[in-house]
Structures are given as C-alpha cells and as structure tokens.
Amino acid sequence: MISLKNPSQIAKMRDAGKILYEVEQQVREAVKPGVTTMDLDVLAEQLIRKNHAIPSEKGYEGYPCSICASINDEVVHGIPSDTRVLKEGDILTVDCTLLLDGWQSDSAFTVGVGQISDEAAKLIRVTEECFWLGVRQAIVGNRLGDIGHAIEKHARENGFQPIREFTGHGIGREMHEDPSVFNFGEPGRGLRLRRGMTIAVEPMIAAGDWHLQIDEDGWCARTVDHSLTSHYEHTIAITEAGYPEILTLPGFDWNKVEDV
Ligand code: MF3
Ligand code: CO
Ligand code: CO
C-alpha cells in the first residue's frame, strides 16, 4: 500500500532530513585512513541522539548498528567493526536512517579514503550522476520505470551495472514502504508517480558484475566477482509541479543547478 503524505507530514520528513544531512556531513569529514568503521558508527549515533532523533537501523530486523559501512566490493549492510580500519585507496559507503518525531529519513553516500584510483573515482561520480538523472524523472505523471531506466542507462553507458537485488523504496512512518524503486527498468512502465509520494532513490552500481553474495554474518552483501561498488541515496518528495524536493539535502534549489 502506498501512503501519500500531506504538506505537514512532508515538513516533518524535511526536519528529519536536515538532521540526517548534518550527521552525514560530519561522518564524511571523519573518514580518513586509520579510522575504523566502528568509530564512524559511534560518531553517527552520538550525533543522531544529540539531535533528539533515533538511529532506526539499530535493531531493524536485528541489525546491530546505527550506520551501514560498506567498503569496496561490499554493496550494502556492512556491519561496523572496530577491526575494520579504513586504508588509503578504499571506497566507503555510509548508509544511515534516522527517525525524528515518528518520521524516517534515509540517505547514503560513497567517499574515497585518501587517494583513490581513477576507476573508483569514476564509479562514485557516475553513481551520483545516476541518482540525479533518475531523480529528474521523479515528476508527477512519470512512472517508476522512467527513474529506473535513467539510472540503468547511464550506468551501462559508462561500462557499469546497476545492482538488481536491492532497491530504493517508499519511506515515511516506516523505513521501508511501498513501492520498490528499482535501479533498472523500462520507460513508461510501472507505478505512476503522484504528489505526496515520498521515496528513497538509491542507485547501487557495480564496476563489474551485479551478482551478490551474503557474508556469514547474514548481512553484508558484496559482489561475487569482488568488483567495486558505489551507492548514493536521498529521500525525496514528489511535488505538484516540477522536480522533486530532496528532503535529505536541506536548502537544495533546482534553480541553482547546472544541467547534467
Ligand atoms: N538504509 C537502508 C536503506 O537504504 C536500510 C538499512 S538496513 C538496516 O534502505 F538493517 F541496516 F537497517
Ligand atoms: Co539507506
Ligand atoms: Co533506503
């Protein structure tokens, strides 16, 4: 079932998104060689709670931490650990969800640790471009397939593959609501977008083959071929006219964006 949000509900999701943005900015600044993924988890949890929000990943289906910290070939659900030390050349995805006053917000980014390879930098850049190309399709009257197609096309044109086993999703009072937002698809197919839909758009892109395996911890998903992966996510609201509001980028203004 798809729940549409009214303007006052979207305002609450905007408040949650602002906090998540600020938390993630600080976590991003803490990323450097020698830091452990548990250091980042502790920092994120402290910042979330200081802002009177709740780290909603912690305890979600038994997940033990406040962020997912996925390195290199790890796509999603890397469990933070004090034995996972970031090293120069790694690429790290931080994916965090928080709850403020009953409303969820979800965002992820991938960042290089120190100097990274040209291929890794291209993968991060193309994944963010996939997000923006997808989000430009998130307008009233378009369909979910338009978003997925835009993401898939740009990934493939750059020699990369979208992950198929994890998707974006509706979000609101729950972290994961209907519909699933696939990172591939056909234009003009799928659910029609309506004002008041709030969704997490989250391209996950592999430099190699998209097939995944799950680690023995039951959580961490990585590419079978161990190719690098990148992930970029924001929570957005479909608006009456024009491009969507990016709830996890406070103050973002489409009028100030150059065309991709
Ligand atoms: N933030 C993730 C998403 O984008 C979900 C986290 S799964 C959890 O959907 F187990 F870590 F909570
Ligand atoms: Co997320
Ligand atoms: Co998500």
Side-chain angles (χ1 to χ4, degrees), residues 43-245:
L43 173 64
E45 179 165 4
Q46 281 173 351
L47 293 167
I48 291 167
R49 295 199 189 278
K50 201 171 87 184
N51 284 282
H52 312 291
I54 295 165
S56 35
E57 291 183 351
K58 200 164 216 171
Y60 180 85
E61 293 183 6
Y63 187 76
C65 290
S66 299
I67 62 170
C68 297
S70 309
I71 302 171
N72 297 337
D73 63 335
E74 302 168 1
V75 183
V76 289
H77 307 160
I79 299 177
S81 160
D82 52 19
T83 62
R84 259 344 256 294
V85 183
L86 298 178
K87 60 178 197 307
E88 180 102 12
D90 284 340
I91 62 172
L92 168 73
T93 299
V94 174
D95 184 1
C96 185
T97 310
L98 62 72
L99 183 74
L100 181 76
D101 198 17
W103 294 90
Q104 300 277 1
S105 194
D106 187 7
S107 176
F109 63 90
T110 299
V111 63
V113 181
Q115 277 289 112
I116 58 173
S117 69
D118 290 348
E119 172 82 349
K122 177 184 172 191
L123 179 65
I124 293 172
R125 172 177 59 76
V126 168
T127 302
E128 293 187 9
E129 289 168 356
C130 285
F131 170 84
W132 289 106
L133 289 165
V135 155
R136 280 169 184 266
Q137 297 296 321
I139 55 182
V140 166
N142 270 8
R143 293 174 181 269
L144 284 176
D146 296 308
I147 300 176
H149 177 74
I151 291 169
E152 178 178 20
K153 179 167 178 286
H154 190 61
R156 289 192 188 285
E157 281 172 358
N158 282 280
F160 301 147
Q161 294 186 14
I163 299 300
R164 303 178 77 90
E165 297 168 46
F166 293 95
T167 68
H169 47 91
I171 179 168
R173 286 198 176 277
E174 304 294 332
M175 182 194 302
H176 293 142
E177 300 183 352
D178 288 339
S180 292
V181 180
F182 291 90
N183 291 312
F184 56 90
E186 289 177 43
R189 301 291 290 271
L191 183 81
R192 197 181 282 280
L193 299 172
R194 294 176 61 191
R195 173 175 54 126
M197 283 183 184
T198 47
I199 57 177
V201 177
E202 49 181 312
M204 290 159 262
I205 309 292
D209 187 89
W210 58 267
H211 286 88
L212 306 183
Q213 63 191 37
I214 307 290
D215 284 2
E216 275 174 15
D217 64 16
W219 281 102
C220 182
R222 67 177 77 235
T223 49
V224 174
D225 67 2
H226 298 298
S227 60
L228 288 181
T229 65
S230 178
H231 183 187
Y232 190 66
E233 172 176 36
H234 285 293
T235 296
I236 72 169
I238 308 298
T239 52
E240 181 126 53
Y243 292 133
E245 180 173 353

